[in-house]
Amino acid sequence: MPMLGAEVRESETEFRVWAPFAEKMTLRLLRRDGSREDIAMRRTQDGEFQLLANAAAGEKYFYLINDDPLQLPDPVSRFLPDGVHGPSGIVDPKSFQWTDQNWRGIPYSEYVYYELHVGTFTPQGMFDSAIEKLDYLKELGITAIEIMPVAAFPGKRNWGYDGVSMYAVQESYGGPDGLKRLVNAAHQKGIAVTLDVVYNHLGNEGNYLGKFGPYFTDKHQTPWGNAINYDDDCCRKVRDYVIENALYWIREYHIDGLRLDAVQTIKDDSPVHLLAELRDRVRQSAAEAGREVTIVAETDENSPRYVRSRAQGGFGLNGVWSDDFHHAAHALFTGEQEGYYQDFGKAEQLAKALSEGFVFQGETFHFWGRLRGEKAGDMPLEAHVICIQNHDQVGNRALGDRLTTLVPRGVRKLLAALLLLAPETPLLWMGQEYDEKNPFQFFTDYADPALQKAVSEGRRNEFKDFKSFGAEFPDPQDPATFERSKLNWQHTSKQREMLEWYRQLLCLRRKLYSADQPRRARAEAPTATSIELRIPAENPEVIVHAKWTDAPVREAVNWPRLLSSDGEGARITISAAPALADNLRRLCA
């Protein structure tokens, strides 16, 4: 059965929309010549309305339900050229000329993520301008870019988590063809493209889904209000709407992977959880296409069930965003211990995160006031996606300040070494590799005055557990907040030195971890101010020794050094077994 929405079929277009409680539906076509045509649609027994009409790509349309004069965009709009309140644009996906026919993706074991926000990654803030940075990312050693959400959101500026039209690619970034050009170009460079998708809620302004049917339910509540209806009356069509969206990104945009936002807030008591069904459908689609497709979930639960196999009662995903490494590192080196940092701040926690992934595996988490996590011994270390910065951990600070302004340069080099040589899967936040100083702040572009007020109050409430942030923060609605958050690509000599440090570490990583061997490393904290990482855990070939004290610390072995840094807050030495040292040095020169 064809996808809901508008499907171009030679000289005609088929329109299909689900509205189970509507008595009639009218298609309002907006012709290229400025004329308007209203056409009644045919209702089917399963609550759909259908119509085959003389309409072409590039034309626009609305739906009108019953006798209500409110013009509504299609719930399955591929494009909203005039914004979230405007008409849907008819798009013919077959018109784009792909040149990645031989691309099959890369295995998850080779992923090095580079998270970016399209609007602030380049001065132009477009998909096309991001293409110009692909050679830079390839040279750095990045294997996969992770794009923050691009589903249509209100206005021109947003992080993307307020999207209201799951299928429509944001117009201000370059629309559908812009995203396709970026993906196509990345594949030509051998870089995978993953997309951040939001299946736990939709934004408020421009969210018309509830007009069409029971897309939401009061059976469950989320931080954003009523939950998406995954397990209440009429939920089958809603589940299909979301699962088909995942397949749509893979099929029409050749996306290589999905990052699922805050899955702990996806409420579903069905016998087969939405995530398990989604994973099964995605895996089937990928197998049919002969491609590698990954699914990673964001969650703070520290639960291995997301990556356990379906046979073991899990969801079978490739990985999870694993926060404990970040929190342990951040609290240890900044001294911040407010909010969720209050349970962190010890060197041995950082060592545990490196060795086991999760720090909390059933212990009391005081920030929650209850136990957190489960034993994770059966969870492959590469299933943990770890970082020292990401959009949340930078952008959800009051001023959006990066580690560049929070800890000494030597500490930043130390953290980069641990991140990139750890057995877990690393994620870089755009700009961290060259010590970007510009902040990444929270920005919105709402037209609704009530939402403008609510977003400011919401930010203030979010910071209540972080007294050190103070009471002042940038106005999310001010365009200057968005402009301040753009990367500055004019690198100083010190920034270029940091960039080279990252490049050498990523090269070394490629040589250390082969795709066909399980990853094991052992980290220890010999003192409260030092970490030692052995790769692999047994019979190590490389040892990372890091300390952040002036007190002498005896290193475990006297092996040849591959990389080292001394000063500005830390000392790092990366040594290799004598039999390997010369070869590794030559490969990563």
Side-chain angles (χ1 to χ4, degrees):
M1 181 171 289
M3 190 176 83
L4 293 173
E7 289 286 331
V8 176
R9 305 190 182 286
E10 296 182 354
S11 60
E12 296 179 303
T13 297
E14 182 181 23
F15 297 87
R16 296 176 59 234
V17 61
W18 180 61
F21 304 141
E23 296 180 1
K24 60 182 181 179
M25 183 77 65
T26 301
L27 173 73
R28 175 163 291 171
L29 276 173
L30 307 179
R31 301 294 189 180
R32 292 182 187 274
D33 61 7
S35 63
R36 189 181 84 183
E37 182 178 359
D38 287 355
I39 311 172
M41 301 181 72
R42 176 178 61 87
R43 195 182 196 284
T44 67
Q45 290 185 342
D46 61 356
E48 285 187 14
F49 288 84
Q50 301 177 358
L51 175 68
L52 188 63
N54 179 19
E59 294 186 312
K60 305 173 186 179
Y61 65 101
F62 282 114
Y63 289 128
L64 288 83
I65 299 176
N66 298 332
D67 297 316
D68 190 334
L70 181 63
Q71 301 180 123
L72 300 171
D74 191 339
V76 188
S77 299
R78 283 184 168 89
F79 190 32
L80 292 170
D82 303 317
V84 297
H85 302 292
S88 302
I90 301 176
V91 173
D92 182 3
K94 298 184 295 295
S95 66
F96 186 83
Q97 299 300 308
W98 291 94
T99 60
D100 68 346
Q101 290 81 4
N102 295 325
W103 175 257
R104 294 293 177 262
I106 62 174
Y108 175 73
S109 59
E110 296 179 10
Y111 268 56
V112 174
Y113 286 102
Y114 188 93
E115 187 190 17
L116 64 88
H117 176 270
V118 174
T120 56
F121 181 54
T122 63
Q124 301 87 350
M126 304 286 286
F127 295 124
D128 285 332
S129 56
I131 292 173
E132 299 172 8
K133 301 297 183 184
L134 291 175
D135 283 333
Y136 161 87
L137 295 175
K138 181 71 174 179
E139 173 63 19
L140 176 62
I142 298 302
T143 63
I145 57 174
E146 181 175 302
I147 303 174
M148 288 173 65
V150 300
F153 53 74
K156 304 291 186 181
R157 309 177 302 274
N158 199 288
W159 280 14
Y161 300 97
D162 292 325
V164 293
S165 189
M166 282 189 185
Y167 290 74
V169 178
Q170 176 66 14
E171 177 273 334
S172 60
Y173 293 162
D177 279 1
L179 177 57
K180 290 174 184 176
R181 286 191 293 270
L182 174 56
V183 175
N184 195 51
H187 290 170
Q188 300 305 317
K189 306 290 185 184
I191 298 174
V193 181
T194 66
L195 185 64
D196 200 339
V197 291
V198 184
Y199 295 152
N200 51 40
H201 81 290
L202 283 86
N204 290 302
E205 184 177 330
N207 179 2
Y208 297 106
L209 273 185
K211 300 283 187 182
F212 287 89
Y215 281 91
F216 304 93
T217 174
D218 61 5
K219 178 179 176 181
H220 305 288
Q221 292 298 304
T222 74
W224 306 278
N226 287 351
I228 295 178
N229 178 18
Y230 293 128
D231 61 0
D232 207 350
D233 293 342
C234 299
C235 68
R236 182 66 263 167
K237 284 286 192 177
V238 180
R239 293 171 72 95
D240 288 343
Y241 176 79
V242 171
I243 292 170
E244 183 61 33
N245 179 257
L247 301 177
Y248 160 82
W249 294 119
I250 296 162
R251 180 180 63 247
E252 290 196 11
Y253 289 87
H254 296 197
I255 292 294
D256 300 290
L258 301 172
R259 181 263 194 190
L260 310 180
D261 181 63
V263 295
Q264 72 273 12
T265 58
I266 291 176
K267 306 299 183 181
D268 183 11
D269 294 333
S270 304
V272 178
H273 194 280
L274 175 83
L275 295 183
E277 184 179 354
L278 186 149
R279 173 269 191 191
D280 290 348
R281 294 281 301 280
V282 165
R283 181 161 293 189
Q284 177 185 356
S285 177
E288 291 170 355
R291 293 172 51 201
E292 296 268 0
V293 177
T294 64
I295 305 178
V296 168
E298 179 200 21
T299 171
D300 60 2
E301 297 166 282
N302 285 16
S303 173
R305 67 179 174 141
Y306 290 100
V307 298
R308 284 187 182 130
S309 70
R310 299 277 280 108
Q312 293 175 308
F315 298 148
L317 309 186
N318 296 90
V320 295
W321 269 31
S322 192
D323 285 341
D324 283 5
F325 174 80
H326 170 273
H327 295 351
H330 187 95
L332 178 61
F333 289 107
T334 66
E336 295 179 10
Q337 290 195 297
E338 298 175 312
Y340 47 75
Y341 293 135
Q342 66 187 259
D343 292 278
F344 295 93
K346 299 176 181 177
E348 55 263 35
Q349 291 177 312
L350 185 57
K352 184 176 181 180
L354 287 165
S355 299
E356 301 180 32
F358 297 141
V359 173
F360 285 86
Q361 300 183 37
E363 297 87 353
T364 298
F365 193 57
H366 295 95
F367 178 62
W368 288 1
R370 54 187 170 86
L371 303 182
R372 178 187 177 207
E374 306 166 40
K375 292 295 182 184
D378 63 337
M379 185 172 170
L381 286 177
E382 58 265 35
H384 296 267
V385 178
I386 64 172
C387 71
I388 54 176
Q389 299 183 75
N390 63 34
H391 78 272
D392 270 330
Q393 304 305 336
V394 175
N396 282 328
R397 299 176 64 82
L399 299 178
D401 38 355
R402 295 168 173 263
L403 279 181
T404 316
T405 64
L406 297 174
V407 299
R409 189 163 176 270
V411 169
R412 298 195 298 275
K413 295 181 81 171
L414 180 157
L415 290 174
L418 295 179
L419 169 71
L420 298 180
L421 299 183
E424 289 85 358
T425 299
L427 176 142
L428 279 64
W429 169 235
M430 61 176 193
Q432 81 174 59
E433 74 280 4
Y434 64 82
D435 266 355
E436 174 64 64
K437 292 182 179 179
N438 285 353
F440 183 72
Q441 299 175 335
F442 185 70
F443 43 82
T444 56
D445 189 21
Y446 295 128
D448 183 343
L451 280 176
Q452 294 174 6
K453 179 181 179 183
V455 71
S456 293
E457 293 177 349
R459 294 297 280 176
R460 186 172 291 108
N461 183 61
E462 186 171 351
F463 300 143
K464 69 180 186 301
D465 293 315
F466 295 86
K467 305 302 182 186
S468 61
F469 286 178
E472 298 300 322
F473 53 89
D475 179 4
Q477 285 287 119
D478 185 348
T481 303
F482 170 71
E483 293 297 329
R484 276 192 300 272
S485 299
K486 291 189 175 185
L487 297 189
N488 176 7
W489 288 94
Q490 303 301 313
H491 299 166
T492 67
S493 59
K494 280 201 168 186
Q495 286 175 312
R496 287 191 290 272
E497 181 188 332
M498 182 66 81
L499 186 60
E500 178 63 13
W501 178 254
Y502 269 81
R503 188 195 68 78
Q504 291 179 317
L505 288 169
L506 282 168
C507 178
L508 184 55
R509 178 185 182 83
R510 288 194 299 274
K511 308 308 175 187
L512 286 178
Y513 295 113
S514 61
D516 57 349
Q517 292 183 353
R519 294 186 195 168
R520 284 290 176 267
R522 184 173 79 247
E524 296 177 350
T527 70
T529 56
S530 65
I531 290 282
E532 190 174 272
L533 176 64
R534 294 171 173 252
I535 309 164
E538 304 299 330
N539 301 314
E541 298 175 343
V542 170
I543 295 179
V544 181
H545 191 89
K547 69 185 185 76
W548 50 99
T549 178
D550 292 331
V553 177
R554 186 176 65 84
E555 296 181 19
V557 293
N558 187 25
W559 284 354
R561 292 183 182 177
L562 301 177
L563 291 171
S564 65
S565 175
D566 193 356
E568 299 184 78
R571 180 185 181 192
I572 311 104
T573 59
I574 302 169
S575 306
L580 295 174
D582 287 343
N583 187 42
L584 289 173
R585 269 200 214 97
R586 185 177 65 255
L587 291 171
C588 293

